[in-house]
Amino acid sequence: MHCKDMVIKVKGKELCQIEGTVDCVVYSNEENGFAVLTLDVDGDPVTVVGEIGSVDEGEDLFLTGEFINHQKFGEQFKVTLCERKMPTTALAIRKYLASGAIKGIGPVIAGKIVDKFGDMTLEIMEKEPERLCEVEGITKKKCQKISEEFKNVNGVRSLMGYLSKFGISAGYGAKAWKRWGQPTEEMVRSNPYVLCAQGIELPFFKADEMAADIELPKDNENRIKAGIANVLIQNSYAGHTCLPEDKLRAITCRFLDIEEDRFNEVLEDELNEENLCLFRKKNRPFILLKEYYTAENYISRRLNIMKECLYDSKINYDEVIALAEEQNDIEYEELQKKAINTALSCGFLVLTGGPGTGKTTTLNAIISLFEQQGMNVLITAPTGRAAKRISELTGYEAKTIHRMLEVVFSDGDRPRFKYNENNLLDCDVMIIDEMSMVDSLLFEALLRAIPMTCKLIMVGDSDQLPSVGAGNVLKDIIESGVVPIVTLKEIFRQASKSSIVVNAHKIVGGEHIDLSERGNDFFFFQRLQHSELQSLVVELAKDRLPKAYGYSSIDDIQVLSPTRKGPSGTVELNKRLQAELNPPSKEKSEIKTFQYTYRVGDKVMQTKNNYDIVWSKDLGDGVKENGAGIFNGDIGIITAANKYTGLITIDFEGRICNYTVSMLENLDLAYAITVHKSQGSEFDVVILTVFGGFDKLYYRNLLYTAVTRAKKLLIIIGSANKLEGMIDNNRRTLRYTVLKNMLIEDGNSDEFNDEIEF
């Protein structure tokens, strides 16, 4: 029956229910469970799309969802919930087995099995699999293989069916099965909180719903363990590698509605079992997830060992530097010479400085002199845009850290790299640009992959925002005093002509800037109404800047905002900009989600590392490079969108890849992006909105980071008072980490001074 009249309400939304047999599977993605199929509903074919899980012809499905109309493919049923039943009639069983659902069974063998056992076929395969040997052509060995495969397939379907009772999409089940296999359903039924683990990441409230169904008490040990981990994981997304024990206790007890004594008992068990780690700073206990303790501990020990191995202050390279000046017809200023000398003599350096202070010139000298010594120099950066930028500035090839280490596979959201302590990179010198963006886990992975004697040069601007990932690596290293540091301060003559550069240095120094000045590359427009601000942003991006300067609205101009929310935030700005820069048309296909409509031609950004996205890049002359991984902050253009298959094709600067509908939750429109997401990138033109929103996002080094993203032109729109308030607000992004303290302790330094205020 075509059950449009069977209407139910789920969370206030009217949905339909249909039941039928899978006639044809058009498309299926095993990773996330998304499928497109034709369902036979009492003789009527119905096109079904959604996260259904692995399905095969002949299966009976009971689906909850809604009918939608596709402009090209017509009516479709979009699935919200899926309950599955194995086929029960001999005809349906024959079709199911003949479809290849069970490895080792093709159409011929399927026919023989069903001819032998009829409607009882699947029951016999489950309970008496040895009887398959009664079928002609099935040996004892083949019978065993078919039995094992049937258990696996049946287990996956049973798990998906169980999860669907709670409205949990097949994607979570697919990830869980991939990790644990056959025992998965038993594990989930006894402890639903295992699905909250990293890499699966079922929202905690959904696990709570499942736990209520089996009447687990709220002070159940598994619930508290998962709750503690959930609090630490959520805080890692905010940049913290740890939390003070007292804060963790207060947050978790409130979150779980449990007593402190019960929390203390479970925390002690987790520490004893080494699932969590403890570190004391000034006798104040901090709790870490094991991976972050391991990362920061390894970084600390490794840097201190490298310091002992590499440091040799007796060698002076002044004569070498003087010769380089003569050969290149250049004169380095004193701090540049100090940086070059330190890099060559110590092989260990943090080079910092604001825009226009000569970091690139200094770095070029360091690279050239290392190469003259016959050393193999590798250059890396945390993002693709940062790597491309440093390649253009230095003339040397640079790769992202992920590409250099080569992602082999991922365990959830954690990558596993080809290069590690057992397979070292071939390099004598490792140079890391945009070091402020490198988080604890990524820096650990890079250090593990370089030889112990490899020289390490870290380049960054400590006044910029810290990394998107957890940790505050550059700041912690600088404040520990373990690594030699040279901070370039002099603004060179050419750079001093740029209002962008001059104002950036004023901002970082806490000095107000002249907003009435109309320089060649810096403009401020006061707009105190949201509608006026939005209109000016659109007008500049769409018409005025392209017509006056020839800039591309998509490729050259980037709108930035401190916040996602509010009328001047990125969500609303993206909707306005998309409507004007890439309006809907019959020639452009699109896919709609809860937040955005994704249309061919749209500028988009990945918001979370995904190491499993496969891409292909055309290198010319018929040669293609294939790889995997699209990372947080990568910007691309949608080139195709197919609502029938649910696939979107995106070009990330030559890397072409496909996204399913379920993957769009980690994809934002990118006509406007937050300042945090712009880290490591430079754009010809930046339009920055400074108006209103969450006050904690309006502070000095966020403004400084935004200003230094502009290469040729910066336009700030909004409130002068808000802008001046940002300059006055010198609060730093508070991050709980233990790296600085580990570095000091491991280095046996007397400089211990924990300056962070809690």
Side-chain angles (χ1 to χ4, degrees):
M1 55 186 169
H2 207 299
C3 305
K4 285 187 180 181
D5 56 334
M6 291 181 61
V7 178
I8 62 170
K9 279 195 173 184
V10 177
K11 295 184 178 179
K13 185 176 181 180
E14 289 190 350
L15 299 175
C16 307
Q17 293 182 318
I18 62 173
E19 186 173 5
T21 303
V22 178
D23 184 60
C24 175
V25 179
V26 179
Y27 172 82
S28 179
N29 186 317
E30 292 184 3
E31 290 293 323
N32 55 39
F34 184 84
V36 179
L37 56 89
T38 302
L39 194 71
D40 183 341
V41 182
D42 288 348
D44 293 331
V46 176
T47 300
V48 173
V49 298
E51 289 192 3
I52 303 168
S54 178
V55 289
D56 293 288
E57 296 172 9
E59 282 193 68
D60 292 331
L61 302 180
F62 186 79
L63 306 175
T64 301
E66 59 183 327
F67 284 95
I68 59 175
N69 280 305
H70 188 283
Q71 60 182 4
K72 182 176 180 181
F73 301 108
E75 187 178 69
Q76 297 177 337
F77 189 81
K78 187 177 180 180
V79 177
T80 302
L81 300 176
C82 171
E83 296 179 47
R84 57 185 68 226
K85 305 172 184 176
M86 295 298 277
T88 54
T89 67
L91 183 62
I93 294 170
R94 183 189 297 267
K95 186 172 185 178
Y96 168 68
L97 293 178
S99 71
I102 310 298
K103 289 180 183 178
I105 300 180
V108 175
I109 295 295
K112 289 182 179 181
I113 293 174
V114 176
D115 286 343
K116 177 72 175 177
F117 301 116
D119 294 350
M120 299 294 292
T121 297
L122 296 184
E123 185 177 343
I124 287 171
M125 289 179 70
E126 180 181 3
K127 298 177 180 177
E128 302 177 84
E130 68 279 357
R131 290 191 59 190
L132 290 175
C133 291
E134 298 175 20
V135 177
E136 182 185 355
I138 298 182
T139 63
K140 187 174 181 180
K141 185 176 180 180
K142 187 169 186 176
C143 172
Q144 187 175 355
K145 286 185 177 180
I146 291 173
S147 174
E148 290 173 358
E149 182 63 23
F150 183 77
K151 283 180 181 178
N152 280 333
V153 171
N154 209 28
V156 172
R157 281 156 177 73
S158 177
L159 173 65
M160 300 300 186
Y162 178 67
L163 295 179
S164 71
K165 287 170 42 180
F166 304 97
I168 297 173
S169 69
Y172 293 108
K175 291 176 185 176
W177 186 270
K178 185 179 178 181
R179 177 175 294 190
W180 295 306
Q182 192 68 46
T184 303
E185 184 174 347
E186 183 180 347
M187 292 169 61
V188 170
R189 283 181 178 271
S190 62
N191 177 18
Y193 298 101
V194 296
L195 294 176
C196 299
Q198 284 181 291
I200 301 172
E201 296 173 14
L202 180 73
F204 192 87
F205 78 92
K206 294 298 295 184
D208 257 354
E209 289 178 9
M210 298 174 70
D213 187 66
I214 58 174
E215 298 182 346
L216 277 181
K218 64 183 180 182
D219 64 350
N220 175 268
E221 182 180 14
N222 290 324
R223 181 173 185 263
I224 298 173
K225 286 181 178 180
I228 294 172
N230 182 70
V231 170
L232 290 170
I233 290 169
Q234 294 303 316
N235 275 276
S236 74
Y237 298 151
H240 305 296
T241 61
C242 60
L243 281 180
E245 184 180 320
D246 56 320
K247 285 185 177 289
L248 177 63
R249 180 183 297 106
I251 295 169
T252 306
C253 289
R254 184 170 62 250
F255 173 57
L256 299 178
D257 189 21
I258 59 172
E259 297 295 327
E260 288 191 1
D261 288 346
R262 183 62 177 139
F263 169 89
N264 293 336
E265 291 174 7
V266 175
L267 177 62
E268 186 177 355
D269 288 343
E270 287 290 86
L271 292 172
N272 289 335
E273 293 172 13
E274 297 184 356
N275 296 322
L276 298 174
C277 300
L278 180 145
F279 184 87
R280 292 186 179 276
K281 295 202 292 184
K282 283 190 172 179
N283 292 321
R284 189 182 188 188
F286 284 71
I287 306 299
L288 300 85
L289 293 167
K290 191 170 184 178
E291 62 181 340
Y292 287 112
Y293 181 88
T294 301
E296 298 202 324
N297 186 44
Y298 181 84
I299 293 168
S300 173
R301 290 187 293 108
R302 180 64 189 269
L303 292 185
N304 274 293
I305 291 171
M306 290 178 74
K307 177 183 177 181
E308 295 302 319
C309 290
L310 295 169
Y311 191 77
D312 185 0
S313 59
K314 295 178 182 178
I315 302 176
N316 190 299
Y317 288 86
D318 285 347
E319 292 184 8
V320 174
I321 296 170
L323 181 61
E325 287 180 306
E326 182 180 338
Q327 291 174 341
N328 297 311
D329 191 24
I330 191 172
E331 184 177 347
Y332 301 115
E333 60 99 14
E334 287 306 309
L335 283 175
Q336 287 181 306
K337 291 179 183 178
K338 179 181 178 182
I340 298 166
N341 209 326
T342 304
L344 296 176
S345 62
C346 299
F348 206 34
L349 172 69
V350 170
L351 176 63
T352 72
T357 56
K359 288 201 303 292
T360 302
T361 302
T362 306
L363 187 58
N364 277 331
I366 291 170
I367 296 169
S368 176
L369 292 172
F370 273 135
E371 288 194 330
Q372 287 178 29
Q373 295 179 20
M375 295 187 178
N376 184 23
V377 181
L378 296 184
I379 307 172
T380 189
T383 68
R385 283 177 171 263
K388 182 179 179 182
R389 174 178 164 274
I390 196 64
S391 291
E392 292 170 349
L393 290 174
T394 64
Y396 294 90
E397 182 188 11
K399 295 181 179 180
T400 66
I401 297 174
H402 288 94
R403 190 178 175 199
M404 180 174 286
L405 298 182
E406 295 188 27
V407 178
V408 178
F409 66 94
S410 67
D411 180 11
D413 63 352
R414 286 293 310 276
R416 294 293 179 268
F417 295 110
K418 174 182 176 181
Y419 291 99
N420 51 45
E421 58 264 56
N422 298 315
N423 183 30
L424 298 174
L425 288 165
D426 179 17
C427 69
D428 302 306
V429 182
M430 176 62 69
I431 294 175
I432 310 170
D433 192 35
E434 294 288 354
M435 186 65 195
S436 63
M437 291 185 64
V438 180
D439 61 64
S440 295
L441 296 180
L442 192 56
F443 192 45
E444 175 206 13
L446 182 60
L447 288 179
R448 287 185 182 275
I450 62 176
M452 191 64 69
T453 55
C454 178
K455 300 178 186 297
L456 183 64
I457 312 300
M458 296 168 276
V459 184
D461 187 343
S462 58
D463 289 314
Q464 290 185 19
L465 294 171
S467 58
V468 174
N472 209 351
V473 176
L474 181 60
K475 181 174 180 288
D476 284 346
I477 290 174
I478 290 173
E479 292 187 353
S480 73
V482 169
V483 180
I485 302 159
V486 176
T487 302
L488 303 179
K489 298 175 182 178
E490 180 180 333
I491 303 176
F492 284 84
R493 185 177 303 167
Q494 186 176 355
S496 67
K497 297 176 183 178
S498 166
S499 295
I500 294 174
V501 171
V502 172
N503 286 332
H505 283 271
K506 286 183 177 180
I507 289 167
V508 83
E511 182 181 346
H512 286 187
I513 56 181
D514 184 358
L515 299 180
S516 64
E517 178 189 348
R518 287 290 184 265
N520 60 339
D521 62 357
F522 182 96
F523 299 90
F524 173 80
F525 294 95
Q526 174 111 327
R527 292 294 185 272
L528 300 180
Q529 298 294 326
H530 290 302
S531 58
E532 292 179 357
L533 180 146
Q534 289 183 356
S535 295
L536 181 56
V537 169
V538 171
E539 181 185 345
L540 287 166
K542 182 183 179 183
D543 298 315
R544 288 172 61 174
L545 293 176
K547 288 177 181 177
Y549 301 98
Y551 289 123
S552 164
S553 299
I554 302 297
D555 298 329
D556 302 325
I557 300 171
Q558 184 61 59
V559 178
L560 300 183
S561 173
T563 178
R564 282 178 55 84
K565 299 178 180 179
S568 62
T570 58
V571 173
E572 291 304 316
L573 287 172
N574 270 317
K575 291 176 181 178
R576 281 289 303 271
L577 288 163
Q578 182 192 43
E580 295 291 336
L581 300 179
N582 190 32
S585 71
K586 292 182 180 179
E587 289 74 35
K588 295 179 180 179
S589 55
E590 60 185 39
I591 290 179
K592 293 184 178 181
T593 67
F594 174 75
Q595 180 162 275
Y596 289 126
T597 295
Y598 296 93
R599 185 176 300 131
V600 170
D602 275 338
K603 185 178 181 179
V604 292
M605 171 181 275
Q606 178 72 12
T607 61
K608 185 178 180 182
N609 289 347
N610 188 323
Y611 303 95
D612 300 321
I613 298 177
V614 176
W615 52 262
S616 177
K617 186 173 185 178
D618 189 351
L619 301 179
D621 298 326
V623 179
K624 286 193 174 184
E625 176 187 4
N626 297 312
I630 299 296
F631 305 109
N632 190 350
D634 284 351
I635 294 177
I637 304 295
I638 296 177
T639 58
N642 190 325
K643 284 182 74 172
Y644 185 67
T645 61
L647 288 179
I648 286 180
T649 304
I650 305 174
D651 181 348
F652 286 99
E653 297 186 326
R655 294 171 296 158
I656 311 299
C657 53
N658 291 321
Y659 277 56
T660 63
V661 171
S662 64
M663 294 158 65
L664 297 182
E665 65 182 6
N666 295 321
L667 193 75
D668 276 354
L669 291 178
Y671 300 101
I673 62 176
T674 63
V675 177
H676 282 87
K677 293 294 185 185
S678 72
Q679 289 174 259
S681 299
E682 278 192 337
F683 310 95
D684 283 349
V685 181
V686 166
I687 301 174
L688 172 66
T689 65
V690 177
F691 189 83
F694 193 43
D695 285 341
K696 288 187 177 180
L697 290 174
Y698 288 79
Y699 53 95
R700 186 186 299 172
N701 70 327
L702 185 138
L703 176 62
Y704 173 75
T705 300
V707 168
T708 53
R709 299 309 91 203
K711 285 197 293 185
K712 298 179 181 178
L713 180 61
L714 171 67
I715 299 173
I716 302 178
I717 305 172
S719 163
N721 288 336
K722 195 75 173 178
L723 183 62
E724 291 178 351
M726 290 184 79
I727 296 172
D728 293 336
N729 181 6
N730 195 29
R731 66 170 289 273
R732 292 277 179 153
T733 303
L734 170 63
R735 291 206 165 178
Y736 291 117
T737 69
V738 298
L739 177 58
K740 171 187 170 182
N741 306 81
M742 285 181 168
L743 284 165
I744 292 171
E745 289 186 12
D746 288 344
N748 295 316
S749 172
D750 294 325
E751 301 174 12
F752 182 88
N753 179 22
D754 188 1
E755 298 174 354
I756 298 175
E757 295 181 3
F758 300 121

